[in-house]
Short mmCIF file of all heavy atoms in Angstrom, two decimals:
data_model
loop_
_atom_site.label_atom_id
_atom_site.label_comp_id
_atom_site.label_asym_id
_atom_site.label_seq_id
_atom_site.Cartn_x
_atom_site.Cartn_y
_atom_site.Cartn_z
N THR A 1 0.84 -1.18 0.00
CA THR A 1 0.00 0.00 0.00
C THR A 1 0.88 1.25 0.00
O THR A 1 2.04 1.20 0.39
CB THR A 1 -0.93 0.04 1.22
OG1 THR A 1 -0.14 0.12 2.39
CG2 THR A 1 -1.84 -1.16 1.27
N SER A 2 0.29 2.34 -0.44
CA SER A 2 1.00 3.62 -0.48
C SER A 2 0.00 4.75 -0.39
O SER A 2 -1.12 4.65 -0.89
CB SER A 2 1.80 3.73 -1.78
OG SER A 2 2.39 5.01 -1.89
N ASP A 3 0.41 5.83 0.24
CA ASP A 3 -0.42 7.03 0.28
C ASP A 3 -0.24 7.87 -0.98
O ASP A 3 -1.00 8.80 -1.21
CB ASP A 3 -0.06 7.89 1.50
CG ASP A 3 -0.48 7.24 2.80
OD1 ASP A 3 -1.42 6.42 2.77
OD2 ASP A 3 0.13 7.55 3.84
N ASN A 4 0.75 7.55 -1.78
CA ASN A 4 1.07 8.33 -2.97
C ASN A 4 0.37 7.71 -4.19
O ASN A 4 0.75 6.64 -4.66
CB ASN A 4 2.58 8.36 -3.18
CG ASN A 4 3.00 9.27 -4.29
OD1 ASN A 4 2.31 9.42 -5.30
ND2 ASN A 4 4.16 9.88 -4.13
N LEU A 5 -0.66 8.39 -4.69
CA LEU A 5 -1.43 7.84 -5.81
C LEU A 5 -0.60 7.74 -7.09
O LEU A 5 -0.86 6.86 -7.92
CB LEU A 5 -2.68 8.69 -6.06
CG LEU A 5 -3.74 8.61 -4.96
CD1 LEU A 5 -4.91 9.52 -5.30
CD2 LEU A 5 -4.21 7.19 -4.76
N GLU A 6 0.40 8.59 -7.25
CA GLU A 6 1.26 8.49 -8.44
C GLU A 6 2.07 7.20 -8.40
O GLU A 6 2.27 6.55 -9.42
CB GLU A 6 2.17 9.70 -8.53
CG GLU A 6 1.41 10.97 -8.87
CD GLU A 6 2.30 12.20 -8.90
OE1 GLU A 6 3.52 12.08 -8.68
OE2 GLU A 6 1.76 13.29 -9.18
N VAL A 7 2.51 6.81 -7.22
CA VAL A 7 3.24 5.55 -7.06
C VAL A 7 2.32 4.37 -7.36
O VAL A 7 2.68 3.44 -8.08
CB VAL A 7 3.86 5.43 -5.65
CG1 VAL A 7 4.40 4.03 -5.39
CG2 VAL A 7 4.95 6.47 -5.44
N VAL A 8 1.11 4.41 -6.81
CA VAL A 8 0.14 3.34 -7.05
C VAL A 8 -0.17 3.24 -8.54
O VAL A 8 -0.23 2.14 -9.11
CB VAL A 8 -1.15 3.58 -6.23
CG1 VAL A 8 -2.21 2.56 -6.58
CG2 VAL A 8 -0.84 3.56 -4.74
N CYS A 9 -0.34 4.37 -9.20
CA CYS A 9 -0.60 4.39 -10.64
C CYS A 9 0.58 3.78 -11.41
O CYS A 9 0.39 2.98 -12.32
CB CYS A 9 -0.86 5.83 -11.08
SG CYS A 9 -1.35 5.99 -12.79
N SER A 10 1.77 4.15 -11.01
CA SER A 10 2.97 3.62 -11.66
C SER A 10 3.06 2.10 -11.49
O SER A 10 3.41 1.37 -12.42
CB SER A 10 4.21 4.30 -11.08
OG SER A 10 5.37 3.75 -11.60
N LEU A 11 2.74 1.63 -10.29
CA LEU A 11 2.78 0.19 -10.04
C LEU A 11 1.75 -0.55 -10.89
O LEU A 11 2.04 -1.61 -11.47
CB LEU A 11 2.56 -0.10 -8.56
CG LEU A 11 3.70 0.29 -7.63
CD1 LEU A 11 3.25 0.25 -6.17
CD2 LEU A 11 4.89 -0.62 -7.85
N ALA A 12 0.55 -0.01 -10.99
CA ALA A 12 -0.48 -0.64 -11.83
C ALA A 12 -0.06 -0.63 -13.29
O ALA A 12 -0.23 -1.63 -14.00
CB ALA A 12 -1.81 0.08 -11.66
N ARG A 13 0.52 0.48 -13.73
CA ARG A 13 0.96 0.58 -15.13
C ARG A 13 2.05 -0.43 -15.44
O ARG A 13 2.13 -0.98 -16.54
CB ARG A 13 1.43 2.01 -15.41
CG ARG A 13 1.69 2.29 -16.87
CD ARG A 13 2.07 3.73 -17.14
NE ARG A 13 3.25 4.09 -16.39
CZ ARG A 13 3.36 5.19 -15.64
NH1 ARG A 13 2.36 6.02 -15.51
NH2 ARG A 13 4.47 5.44 -14.99
N SER A 14 2.90 -0.72 -14.45
CA SER A 14 4.00 -1.67 -14.67
C SER A 14 3.55 -3.12 -14.56
O SER A 14 4.34 -4.04 -14.78
CB SER A 14 5.14 -1.40 -13.68
OG SER A 14 4.77 -1.81 -12.39
N GLY A 15 2.27 -3.33 -14.18
CA GLY A 15 1.76 -4.69 -14.09
C GLY A 15 1.90 -5.31 -12.71
O GLY A 15 1.71 -6.51 -12.55
N ALA A 16 2.22 -4.51 -11.70
CA ALA A 16 2.44 -5.03 -10.35
C ALA A 16 1.14 -5.38 -9.62
O ALA A 16 1.18 -5.98 -8.56
CB ALA A 16 3.24 -4.03 -9.53
N GLY A 17 -0.01 -4.97 -10.17
CA GLY A 17 -1.26 -5.30 -9.51
C GLY A 17 -2.38 -4.38 -9.94
O GLY A 17 -2.26 -3.65 -10.92
N LEU A 18 -3.46 -4.43 -9.19
CA LEU A 18 -4.64 -3.62 -9.45
C LEU A 18 -4.61 -2.36 -8.61
O LEU A 18 -3.95 -2.32 -7.56
CB LEU A 18 -5.91 -4.41 -9.12
CG LEU A 18 -6.09 -5.74 -9.85
CD1 LEU A 18 -7.29 -6.46 -9.29
CD2 LEU A 18 -6.24 -5.50 -11.33
N ALA A 19 -5.35 -1.35 -9.03
CA ALA A 19 -5.40 -0.11 -8.26
C ALA A 19 -6.76 0.55 -8.41
O ALA A 19 -7.40 0.42 -9.44
CB ALA A 19 -4.31 0.84 -8.74
N ILE A 20 -7.18 1.23 -7.38
CA ILE A 20 -8.37 2.08 -7.43
C ILE A 20 -7.84 3.50 -7.45
O ILE A 20 -7.23 3.96 -6.48
CB ILE A 20 -9.29 1.84 -6.22
CG1 ILE A 20 -9.78 0.39 -6.22
CG2 ILE A 20 -10.45 2.82 -6.23
CD1 ILE A 20 -10.54 -0.01 -4.99
N LEU A 21 -8.07 4.18 -8.58
CA LEU A 21 -7.47 5.50 -8.79
C LEU A 21 -8.49 6.50 -9.32
O LEU A 21 -9.42 6.12 -10.02
CB LEU A 21 -6.33 5.39 -9.81
CG LEU A 21 -5.15 4.51 -9.41
CD1 LEU A 21 -4.29 4.19 -10.63
CD2 LEU A 21 -4.33 5.21 -8.35
N PRO A 22 -8.28 7.79 -9.03
CA PRO A 22 -9.13 8.81 -9.63
C PRO A 22 -8.95 8.85 -11.15
O PRO A 22 -7.83 8.71 -11.66
CB PRO A 22 -8.63 10.12 -9.01
CG PRO A 22 -7.86 9.72 -7.80
CD PRO A 22 -7.31 8.36 -8.09
N THR A 23 -10.04 9.02 -11.86
CA THR A 23 -10.00 9.05 -13.32
C THR A 23 -9.03 10.11 -13.83
O THR A 23 -8.28 9.88 -14.78
CB THR A 23 -11.41 9.32 -13.88
OG1 THR A 23 -12.28 8.29 -13.41
CG2 THR A 23 -11.43 9.35 -15.39
N ARG A 24 -9.06 11.30 -13.19
CA ARG A 24 -8.18 12.39 -13.63
C ARG A 24 -6.71 11.97 -13.60
O ARG A 24 -5.94 12.30 -14.48
CB ARG A 24 -8.37 13.62 -12.74
CG ARG A 24 -9.69 14.31 -12.96
CD ARG A 24 -9.79 15.55 -12.08
NE ARG A 24 -9.59 15.26 -10.66
CZ ARG A 24 -10.54 14.87 -9.83
NH1 ARG A 24 -11.76 14.71 -10.26
NH2 ARG A 24 -10.28 14.66 -8.56
N LEU A 25 -6.32 11.23 -12.57
CA LEU A 25 -4.94 10.79 -12.44
C LEU A 25 -4.57 9.81 -13.54
O LEU A 25 -3.52 9.92 -14.17
CB LEU A 25 -4.72 10.15 -11.07
CG LEU A 25 -3.30 9.67 -10.80
CD1 LEU A 25 -2.40 10.85 -10.49
CD2 LEU A 25 -3.29 8.67 -9.67
N VAL A 26 -5.45 8.85 -13.80
CA VAL A 26 -5.17 7.85 -14.83
C VAL A 26 -5.09 8.51 -16.20
O VAL A 26 -4.19 8.21 -16.99
CB VAL A 26 -6.24 6.73 -14.82
CG1 VAL A 26 -6.05 5.78 -15.98
CG2 VAL A 26 -6.19 5.99 -13.49
N LYS A 27 -6.00 9.44 -16.50
CA LYS A 27 -5.96 10.12 -17.79
C LYS A 27 -4.66 10.89 -17.97
O LYS A 27 -4.12 10.96 -19.07
CB LYS A 27 -7.15 11.08 -17.92
CG LYS A 27 -8.46 10.37 -18.19
CD LYS A 27 -9.58 11.37 -18.35
CE LYS A 27 -10.89 10.67 -18.66
NZ LYS A 27 -12.01 11.60 -18.77
N ALA A 28 -4.15 11.45 -16.90
CA ALA A 28 -2.92 12.25 -16.98
C ALA A 28 -1.66 11.40 -17.01
O ALA A 28 -0.73 11.70 -17.75
CB ALA A 28 -2.86 13.21 -15.80
N LEU A 29 -1.62 10.33 -16.22
CA LEU A 29 -0.37 9.58 -16.06
C LEU A 29 -0.34 8.22 -16.74
O LEU A 29 0.74 7.71 -17.03
CB LEU A 29 -0.07 9.39 -14.57
CG LEU A 29 0.11 10.65 -13.74
CD1 LEU A 29 0.37 10.29 -12.29
CD2 LEU A 29 1.24 11.49 -14.30
N ALA A 30 -1.49 7.62 -16.95
CA ALA A 30 -1.50 6.25 -17.48
C ALA A 30 -2.74 5.99 -18.33
O ALA A 30 -3.56 5.13 -18.00
CB ALA A 30 -1.42 5.25 -16.33
N PRO A 31 -2.89 6.73 -19.42
CA PRO A 31 -4.11 6.57 -20.22
C PRO A 31 -4.27 5.19 -20.84
O PRO A 31 -5.36 4.85 -21.30
CB PRO A 31 -3.97 7.65 -21.30
CG PRO A 31 -2.53 7.99 -21.35
CD PRO A 31 -1.98 7.71 -19.98
N THR A 32 -3.23 4.37 -20.84
CA THR A 32 -3.35 3.02 -21.42
C THR A 32 -3.91 2.00 -20.43
O THR A 32 -4.22 0.88 -20.82
CB THR A 32 -1.97 2.53 -21.92
OG1 THR A 32 -1.06 2.53 -20.82
CG2 THR A 32 -1.46 3.41 -23.04
N LEU A 33 -4.04 2.38 -19.16
CA LEU A 33 -4.65 1.45 -18.20
C LEU A 33 -6.10 1.20 -18.58
O LEU A 33 -6.79 2.09 -19.08
CB LEU A 33 -4.60 2.02 -16.78
CG LEU A 33 -3.25 1.99 -16.08
CD1 LEU A 33 -3.36 2.61 -14.69
CD2 LEU A 33 -2.71 0.58 -15.97
N LYS A 34 -6.56 0.00 -18.35
CA LYS A 34 -7.92 -0.37 -18.71
C LYS A 34 -8.83 -0.23 -17.50
O LYS A 34 -8.54 -0.74 -16.42
CB LYS A 34 -7.94 -1.81 -19.22
CG LYS A 34 -9.28 -2.24 -19.73
CD LYS A 34 -9.21 -3.62 -20.37
CE LYS A 34 -10.56 -3.98 -20.92
NZ LYS A 34 -10.53 -5.22 -21.65
N ARG A 35 -9.95 0.45 -17.70
CA ARG A 35 -10.93 0.65 -16.63
C ARG A 35 -11.85 -0.56 -16.56
O ARG A 35 -12.32 -1.05 -17.58
CB ARG A 35 -11.74 1.90 -16.90
CG ARG A 35 -12.74 2.17 -15.83
CD ARG A 35 -13.45 3.50 -16.06
NE ARG A 35 -14.32 3.76 -14.95
CZ ARG A 35 -15.61 4.00 -15.07
NH1 ARG A 35 -16.18 4.03 -16.24
NH2 ARG A 35 -16.34 4.21 -14.01
N VAL A 36 -12.10 -1.04 -15.36
CA VAL A 36 -13.04 -2.12 -15.14
C VAL A 36 -14.42 -1.48 -15.05
O VAL A 36 -14.65 -0.60 -14.23
CB VAL A 36 -12.72 -2.91 -13.86
CG1 VAL A 36 -13.74 -4.01 -13.63
CG2 VAL A 36 -11.30 -3.48 -13.93
N THR A 37 -15.33 -1.92 -15.91
CA THR A 37 -16.66 -1.31 -15.95
C THR A 37 -17.61 -2.02 -14.98
O THR A 37 -17.28 -3.05 -14.41
CB THR A 37 -17.23 -1.35 -17.37
OG1 THR A 37 -17.26 -2.71 -17.81
CG2 THR A 37 -16.38 -0.54 -18.32
N ASP A 38 -18.79 -1.46 -14.84
CA ASP A 38 -19.86 -2.01 -14.01
C ASP A 38 -19.49 -2.12 -12.53
O ASP A 38 -19.92 -3.04 -11.84
CB ASP A 38 -20.31 -3.39 -14.53
CG ASP A 38 -20.86 -3.31 -15.94
OD1 ASP A 38 -21.47 -2.28 -16.28
OD2 ASP A 38 -20.67 -4.27 -16.69
N LEU A 39 -18.66 -1.18 -12.07
CA LEU A 39 -18.32 -1.12 -10.66
C LEU A 39 -18.85 0.19 -10.09
O LEU A 39 -19.05 1.15 -10.82
CB LEU A 39 -16.81 -1.18 -10.47
CG LEU A 39 -16.14 -2.50 -10.82
CD1 LEU A 39 -14.64 -2.39 -10.64
CD2 LEU A 39 -16.67 -3.62 -9.94
N PRO A 40 -19.08 0.25 -8.79
CA PRO A 40 -19.56 1.50 -8.20
C PRO A 40 -18.54 2.62 -8.40
O PRO A 40 -17.33 2.38 -8.49
CB PRO A 40 -19.69 1.18 -6.71
CG PRO A 40 -19.65 -0.30 -6.61
CD PRO A 40 -18.94 -0.81 -7.81
N SER A 41 -19.03 3.84 -8.49
CA SER A 41 -18.15 5.00 -8.58
C SER A 41 -18.76 6.13 -7.77
O SER A 41 -19.92 6.05 -7.35
CB SER A 41 -17.97 5.43 -10.04
OG SER A 41 -19.19 5.86 -10.57
N TYR A 42 -18.00 7.15 -7.53
CA TYR A 42 -18.53 8.30 -6.81
C TYR A 42 -17.87 9.58 -7.32
O TYR A 42 -16.79 9.55 -7.87
CB TYR A 42 -18.31 8.15 -5.29
CG TYR A 42 -16.88 8.25 -4.86
CD1 TYR A 42 -16.36 9.45 -4.39
CD2 TYR A 42 -16.03 7.15 -4.91
CE1 TYR A 42 -15.04 9.55 -4.00
CE2 TYR A 42 -14.71 7.24 -4.52
CZ TYR A 42 -14.23 8.44 -4.06
OH TYR A 42 -12.92 8.54 -3.68
N LYS A 43 -18.58 10.67 -7.15
CA LYS A 43 -18.06 11.97 -7.56
C LYS A 43 -17.13 12.47 -6.47
O LYS A 43 -17.36 12.27 -5.29
CB LYS A 43 -19.21 12.97 -7.76
CG LYS A 43 -20.09 12.62 -8.91
CD LYS A 43 -20.08 13.77 -9.87
CE LYS A 43 -20.98 13.42 -11.03
NZ LYS A 43 -20.40 13.72 -12.28
N ASP A 44 -16.09 13.14 -6.91
CA ASP A 44 -15.11 13.69 -5.98
C ASP A 44 -15.13 15.20 -6.07
O ASP A 44 -15.64 15.76 -7.05
CB ASP A 44 -13.72 13.16 -6.34
CG ASP A 44 -12.71 13.35 -5.23
OD1 ASP A 44 -13.09 13.85 -4.15
OD2 ASP A 44 -11.55 13.00 -5.43
N GLU A 45 -14.60 15.87 -5.09
CA GLU A 45 -14.48 17.31 -5.11
C GLU A 45 -13.02 17.69 -5.14
O GLU A 45 -12.17 16.98 -4.59
CB GLU A 45 -15.12 17.93 -3.87
CG GLU A 45 -16.62 17.74 -3.79
CD GLU A 45 -17.21 18.39 -2.55
OE1 GLU A 45 -16.47 19.03 -1.79
OE2 GLU A 45 -18.43 18.25 -2.37
N ILE A 46 -12.73 18.80 -5.79
CA ILE A 46 -11.38 19.34 -5.81
C ILE A 46 -11.41 20.66 -5.05
O ILE A 46 -12.29 21.49 -5.28
CB ILE A 46 -10.90 19.59 -7.25
CG1 ILE A 46 -10.86 18.28 -8.01
CG2 ILE A 46 -9.56 20.28 -7.26
CD1 ILE A 46 -10.54 18.44 -9.47
N HIS A 47 -10.49 20.82 -4.14
CA HIS A 47 -10.42 22.04 -3.36
C HIS A 47 -9.13 22.78 -3.68
O HIS A 47 -8.07 22.18 -3.79
CB HIS A 47 -10.48 21.74 -1.86
CG HIS A 47 -11.77 21.11 -1.45
ND1 HIS A 47 -12.84 21.85 -1.04
CD2 HIS A 47 -12.17 19.82 -1.43
CE1 HIS A 47 -13.84 21.05 -0.76
NE2 HIS A 47 -13.46 19.80 -0.99
N PHE A 48 -9.25 24.07 -3.84
CA PHE A 48 -8.09 24.93 -4.07
C PHE A 48 -7.75 25.55 -2.72
O PHE A 48 -8.54 26.31 -2.16
CB PHE A 48 -8.44 26.01 -5.10
CG PHE A 48 -7.32 26.94 -5.41
CD1 PHE A 48 -6.22 26.48 -6.11
CD2 PHE A 48 -7.36 28.27 -5.02
CE1 PHE A 48 -5.17 27.33 -6.42
CE2 PHE A 48 -6.32 29.13 -5.33
CZ PHE A 48 -5.23 28.66 -6.03
N ALA A 49 -6.61 25.19 -2.17
CA ALA A 49 -6.23 25.67 -0.84
C ALA A 49 -5.03 26.59 -0.94
O ALA A 49 -4.13 26.38 -1.76
CB ALA A 49 -5.91 24.48 0.05
N TYR A 50 -5.05 27.60 -0.12
CA TYR A 50 -3.92 28.53 -0.07
C TYR A 50 -3.85 29.12 1.33
O TYR A 50 -4.80 29.06 2.09
CB TYR A 50 -4.07 29.63 -1.12
CG TYR A 50 -5.30 30.48 -0.95
CD1 TYR A 50 -5.25 31.67 -0.24
CD2 TYR A 50 -6.52 30.08 -1.47
CE1 TYR A 50 -6.40 32.44 -0.08
CE2 TYR A 50 -7.67 30.85 -1.31
CZ TYR A 50 -7.59 32.03 -0.61
OH TYR A 50 -8.71 32.79 -0.43
N ARG A 51 -2.70 29.67 1.64
CA ARG A 51 -2.52 30.28 2.96
C ARG A 51 -3.05 31.70 2.94
O ARG A 51 -2.61 32.52 2.14
CB ARG A 51 -1.04 30.27 3.33
CG ARG A 51 -0.55 28.87 3.65
CD ARG A 51 0.86 28.83 4.09
NE ARG A 51 1.20 29.92 5.01
CZ ARG A 51 2.37 30.05 5.59
NH1 ARG A 51 3.31 29.17 5.34
NH2 ARG A 51 2.61 31.05 6.40
N VAL A 52 -3.98 31.98 3.81
CA VAL A 52 -4.60 33.29 3.83
C VAL A 52 -3.67 34.37 4.38
O VAL A 52 -3.89 35.56 4.16
CB VAL A 52 -5.92 33.29 4.63
CG1 VAL A 52 -6.96 32.43 3.94
CG2 VAL A 52 -5.71 32.84 6.06
N ASP A 53 -2.60 33.96 5.08
CA ASP A 53 -1.70 34.94 5.64
C ASP A 53 -0.65 35.45 4.64
O ASP A 53 0.08 36.38 4.93
CB ASP A 53 -1.00 34.40 6.89
CG ASP A 53 -0.20 33.13 6.61
OD1 ASP A 53 -0.60 32.37 5.71
OD2 ASP A 53 0.81 32.90 7.30
N LEU A 54 -0.61 34.85 3.46
CA LEU A 54 0.33 35.31 2.44
C LEU A 54 -0.28 36.46 1.64
O LEU A 54 -1.50 36.52 1.49
CB LEU A 54 0.70 34.16 1.49
CG LEU A 54 1.48 33.01 2.13
CD1 LEU A 54 1.74 31.92 1.10
CD2 LEU A 54 2.81 33.51 2.70
N PRO A 55 0.56 37.35 1.12
CA PRO A 55 0.03 38.47 0.34
C PRO A 55 -0.70 37.98 -0.92
O PRO A 55 -0.33 36.98 -1.51
CB PRO A 55 1.26 39.28 -0.05
CG PRO A 55 2.41 38.68 0.66
CD PRO A 55 2.00 37.38 1.25
N LYS A 56 -1.75 38.68 -1.29
CA LYS A 56 -2.51 38.36 -2.50
C LYS A 56 -1.82 39.03 -3.68
O LYS A 56 -1.93 40.23 -3.87
CB LYS A 56 -3.95 38.87 -2.40
CG LYS A 56 -4.69 38.48 -1.12
CD LYS A 56 -4.80 36.99 -0.95
CE LYS A 56 -5.61 36.58 0.24
NZ LYS A 56 -4.91 36.51 1.50
N THR A 57 -1.11 38.26 -4.46
CA THR A 57 -0.38 38.80 -5.60
C THR A 57 -1.19 38.64 -6.88
O THR A 57 -2.16 37.88 -6.93
CB THR A 57 0.97 38.07 -5.77
OG1 THR A 57 0.67 36.69 -6.06
CG2 THR A 57 1.82 38.15 -4.51
N ALA A 58 -0.76 39.33 -7.92
CA ALA A 58 -1.43 39.21 -9.22
C ALA A 58 -1.32 37.79 -9.75
O ALA A 58 -2.26 37.25 -10.33
CB ALA A 58 -0.83 40.21 -10.21
N SER A 59 -0.15 37.15 -9.54
CA SER A 59 -0.01 35.77 -10.03
C SER A 59 -0.91 34.81 -9.26
O SER A 59 -1.46 33.89 -9.84
CB SER A 59 1.41 35.26 -9.97
OG SER A 59 2.27 36.02 -9.27
N MET A 60 -1.08 35.03 -7.97
CA MET A 60 -1.97 34.17 -7.20
C MET A 60 -3.41 34.33 -7.69
O MET A 60 -4.13 33.35 -7.85
CB MET A 60 -1.88 34.51 -5.71
CG MET A 60 -2.74 33.65 -4.83
SD MET A 60 -2.47 34.11 -3.12
CE MET A 60 -3.78 33.21 -2.35
N LYS A 61 -3.83 35.56 -7.96
CA LYS A 61 -5.17 35.80 -8.47
C LYS A 61 -5.34 35.14 -9.84
O LYS A 61 -6.37 34.53 -10.12
CB LYS A 61 -5.45 37.29 -8.57
CG LYS A 61 -6.86 37.59 -9.06
CD LYS A 61 -7.14 39.06 -9.14
CE LYS A 61 -8.51 39.41 -9.66
NZ LYS A 61 -9.23 38.49 -10.45
N TYR A 62 -4.33 35.22 -10.69
CA TYR A 62 -4.39 34.61 -12.02
C TYR A 62 -4.57 33.09 -11.90
O TYR A 62 -5.43 32.50 -12.57
CB TYR A 62 -3.13 34.94 -12.80
CG TYR A 62 -3.08 34.25 -14.15
CD1 TYR A 62 -3.82 34.73 -15.21
CD2 TYR A 62 -2.30 33.12 -14.33
CE1 TYR A 62 -3.79 34.10 -16.45
CE2 TYR A 62 -2.26 32.48 -15.56
CZ TYR A 62 -3.01 32.97 -16.61
OH TYR A 62 -2.98 32.33 -17.82
N ILE A 63 -3.79 32.45 -11.04
CA ILE A 63 -3.88 31.00 -10.86
C ILE A 63 -5.26 30.64 -10.30
O ILE A 63 -5.91 29.69 -10.77
CB ILE A 63 -2.75 30.48 -9.95
CG1 ILE A 63 -1.42 30.61 -10.67
CG2 ILE A 63 -3.01 29.04 -9.52
CD1 ILE A 63 -0.21 30.34 -9.81
N PHE A 64 -5.72 31.39 -9.32
CA PHE A 64 -7.05 31.15 -8.75
C PHE A 64 -8.12 31.24 -9.83
O PHE A 64 -8.99 30.38 -9.94
CB PHE A 64 -7.34 32.15 -7.63
CG PHE A 64 -8.71 32.00 -7.04
CD1 PHE A 64 -8.98 31.00 -6.12
CD2 PHE A 64 -9.73 32.84 -7.42
CE1 PHE A 64 -10.25 30.85 -5.59
CE2 PHE A 64 -11.01 32.69 -6.90
CZ PHE A 64 -11.27 31.70 -5.99
N ASP A 65 -8.06 32.28 -10.67
CA ASP A 65 -9.04 32.46 -11.75
C ASP A 65 -9.00 31.30 -12.74
O ASP A 65 -10.04 30.81 -13.19
CB ASP A 65 -8.81 33.79 -12.48
CG ASP A 65 -9.16 34.99 -11.61
OD1 ASP A 65 -9.84 34.82 -10.58
OD2 ASP A 65 -8.71 36.10 -11.96
N CYS A 66 -7.80 30.84 -13.08
CA CYS A 66 -7.66 29.72 -14.02
C CYS A 66 -8.27 28.45 -13.45
O CYS A 66 -9.00 27.74 -14.15
CB CYS A 66 -6.19 29.48 -14.36
SG CYS A 66 -5.46 30.74 -15.42
N VAL A 67 -7.98 28.17 -12.19
CA VAL A 67 -8.53 26.96 -11.55
C VAL A 67 -10.05 27.07 -11.46
O VAL A 67 -10.77 26.12 -11.76
CB VAL A 67 -7.90 26.75 -10.15
CG1 VAL A 67 -8.61 25.65 -9.39
CG2 VAL A 67 -6.41 26.44 -10.29
N ARG A 68 -10.56 28.24 -11.08
CA ARG A 68 -12.01 28.43 -10.96
C ARG A 68 -12.69 28.23 -12.31
O ARG A 68 -13.75 27.64 -12.41
CB ARG A 68 -12.31 29.83 -10.42
CG ARG A 68 -13.80 30.05 -10.19
CD ARG A 68 -14.17 31.50 -9.96
NE ARG A 68 -13.82 32.26 -11.15
CZ ARG A 68 -13.13 33.40 -11.14
NH1 ARG A 68 -12.74 33.92 -10.03
NH2 ARG A 68 -12.84 34.02 -12.26
N ASP A 69 -12.07 28.71 -13.39
CA ASP A 69 -12.67 28.63 -14.71
C ASP A 69 -12.64 27.23 -15.32
O ASP A 69 -13.27 26.99 -16.34
CB ASP A 69 -11.99 29.63 -15.66
CG ASP A 69 -12.27 31.07 -15.27
OD1 ASP A 69 -13.23 31.31 -14.49
OD2 ASP A 69 -11.53 31.96 -15.72
N LEU A 70 -11.88 26.30 -14.72
CA LEU A 70 -11.84 24.93 -15.24
C LEU A 70 -13.20 24.26 -15.14
O LEU A 70 -13.55 23.43 -15.96
CB LEU A 70 -10.81 24.09 -14.47
CG LEU A 70 -9.35 24.40 -14.77
CD1 LEU A 70 -8.46 23.59 -13.82
CD2 LEU A 70 -9.02 24.10 -16.21
N LYS A 71 -13.95 24.57 -14.11
CA LYS A 71 -15.29 24.02 -13.90
C LYS A 71 -15.32 22.50 -14.03
O LYS A 71 -16.07 21.93 -14.78
CB LYS A 71 -16.27 24.66 -14.87
CG LYS A 71 -16.43 26.13 -14.62
CD LYS A 71 -17.37 26.77 -15.59
CE LYS A 71 -17.44 28.25 -15.26
NZ LYS A 71 -17.86 29.09 -16.31
N ILE A 72 -14.43 21.86 -13.29
CA ILE A 72 -14.40 20.40 -13.29
C ILE A 72 -14.98 19.84 -12.02
O ILE A 72 -15.18 20.51 -11.07
CB ILE A 72 -12.97 19.86 -13.51
CG1 ILE A 72 -12.00 20.46 -12.49
CG2 ILE A 72 -12.52 20.11 -14.90
CD1 ILE A 72 -10.61 19.90 -12.56
#
């Protein structure tokens, strides 16, 4: 087992076993992995976290706007 999903994805891609992974991760790192169909699934949420004590810079606002506009 591993807490690092990239490691788990890499192990599944190398044939070391099965993995339960977020679709976004598989599409980005291992699009050749085969999805097992007819299994339960659930919707996930993505949170954009930042430290509120840091100054609000133009680049931080730009990144925030880009992430917000993804609408995923």
